Amino acid sequence: MCPNFAVATLTYVYAESTAVLGPLATYAEPHCYDLCEAHTNRLTPPKGWELVKLETDPASLQPSSADLAALADAVRQAGTVAVEEPSLSIGARRGHLHVVRDSD
């Protein structure tokens, strides 16, 4: 396992015999592999396959102030959501467990 930080995601399109190397994926998917810069630069596709590199500006991958503001708003909103407690009416079943005493 490589100890370096991932900078790109490799995806195989088997139907088209194509390996696609693009920006780092935001969520994990089967058959996608995150690669560090060194492994990205050394990558060669399987024999007979095409390699498509989707170049991106590394600066554009950094969180923007708008991203951070949206995250802060989401956290604030999650903290203010009231959780409604379930109400119990008299005679309502509270569970299915019963105490069984020893017959001693």
Side-chain angles (χ1 to χ4, degrees), residues 56-74:
T56 58
D57 177 21
S60 70
L61 301 177
Q62 299 298 321
S64 68
S65 58
D67 293 334
L68 296 176
L71 178 59
D73 288 341

Side-chain angles (χ1 to χ4, degrees), residues 12-91:
Y12 290 106
V13 182
Y14 295 96
E16 298 177 16
S17 299
T18 303
V20 180
L21 187 62
L24 194 59
T26 56
Y27 57 92
E29 283 193 34
H31 309 294
C32 289
Y33 306 93
D34 293 339
L35 303 176
C36 72
E37 186 173 4
H39 286 106
T40 298
N41 293 334
R42 293 193 333 231
L43 178 71
T44 57
K47 189 172 185 173
W49 284 49
E50 180 183 359
L51 175 63
V52 175
K53 287 189 177 184
L54 304 174
E55 299 295 331
T56 58
D57 177 21
S60 70
L61 301 177
Q62 299 298 321
S64 68
S65 58
D67 293 334
L68 296 176
L71 178 59
D73 288 341
V75 169
R76 256 187 247 110
Q77 183 180 8
T80 60
V81 173
V83 176
E84 190 174 315
E85 292 291 325
S87 61
L88 292 177
S89 61
I90 296 175

Side-chain angles (χ1 to χ4, degrees), residues 88-89 91-99:
L88 292 177
S89 61
R93 184 173 178 210
R94 296 196 61 176
H96 64 280
L97 302 177
H98 303 281
V99 176

